[in-house]
Amino acid sequence: MCKLISILITYYNEKELIGRCLDSLNKQKKLPNEVIIYDDASTEKAENFIDKTLYNFSLEIIRSDVNRGPAYGRNILMKMAKSDYIRFQDADDELFENALYEIEQRILKTDADIILNEVSSFNEKNELICERVIGLNLNLKSLFEFSLSCALLI
């Protein structure tokens, strides 16, 4: 059974990066059910340059008149999501083509409530800066042990 995934993106004046982020979602083997962008009072309004017709998924942009930070935006987005699962992303996040498919497969195999995945960081020349930022390869026995040992990006 297919699982529906909402992608929730916080955005603040990252015009070039949000385009790359959305393009990476559009190339997914499994498309998201919906993508919702929270524009945190950017001077470069996302609604002015994002063409929703270019994407093969439902895309909604909401905008705040006051900059409140990404945590506030994520809370708003989480209340709006309509899918079984949500994935938080920032405007500078790009996914490999099979990322959502792989996440869905793990959900189907385990009926997981949460999926944590590794993050690798690249510079503007596409050179690897840091591999496995989160540290899931440490073979820790529990999520609690993991949370004590590793920094989680919030």
Side-chain angles (χ1 to χ4, degrees):
M1 178 178 172
C2 180
K3 293 295 183 180
L4 301 178
I5 300 174
S6 294
I7 305 294
L8 309 178
I9 303 171
T10 52
Y11 165 79
Y12 182 74
N13 288 335
E14 301 160 301
K15 183 177 179 177
E16 179 184 325
L17 295 173
I18 190 87
R20 290 174 54 175
C21 175
L22 292 172
D23 288 345
S24 81
L25 294 173
N26 209 37
K27 295 175 185 172
Q28 289 297 301
K29 183 175 182 178
K30 182 220 179 347
L31 292 172
N33 181 55
E34 65 180 348
V35 174
I36 311 172
I37 299 171
Y38 177 81
D39 183 340
D40 198 13
S42 295
T43 55
E44 297 181 280
K45 296 178 183 179
E47 61 197 20
N48 289 347
F49 62 83
I50 293 175
D51 182 354
K52 296 178 185 180
T53 65
L54 297 177
Y55 303 103
N56 298 317
F57 45 77
S58 168
L59 176 59
E60 184 175 355
I61 301 169
I62 60 166
R63 181 171 163 76
S64 175
D65 293 330
V66 178
N67 182 280
R68 294 191 170 118
Y72 182 86
R74 288 184 187 113
N75 286 327
I76 297 295
L77 292 168
M78 193 165 42
K79 291 175 187 174
M80 296 179 65
K82 299 178 187 97
S83 300
D84 301 321
Y85 290 84
I86 59 173
R87 176 180 170 79
F88 291 112
Q89 287 195 203
D90 295 321
D92 63 348
D93 293 341
E94 294 178 53
L95 296 180
F96 294 110
E97 288 179 13
N98 61 343
L100 293 181
Y101 173 79
E102 291 294 330
I103 290 169
E104 179 188 53
Q105 293 308 301
R106 283 174 178 73
I107 291 169
L108 292 171
K109 287 179 185 173
T110 64
D111 202 27
D113 291 325
I114 183 171
I115 301 285
L116 299 174
N117 60 288
E118 289 289 0
V119 177
S120 294
S121 182
F122 296 85
N123 66 16
E124 61 279 351
K125 296 177 184 172
N126 209 28
E127 299 166 331
L128 182 66
I129 296 171
C130 183
E131 189 172 25
R132 297 186 175 190
V133 172
I134 296 175
L136 293 177
N137 59 332
L138 298 176
N139 296 323
L140 300 173
K141 294 183 179 27
S142 72
L143 184 58
F144 178 72
E145 185 181 354
F146 176 79
S147 67
L148 294 175
S149 303
C150 302
L152 293 177
L153 303 174
I154 56 169

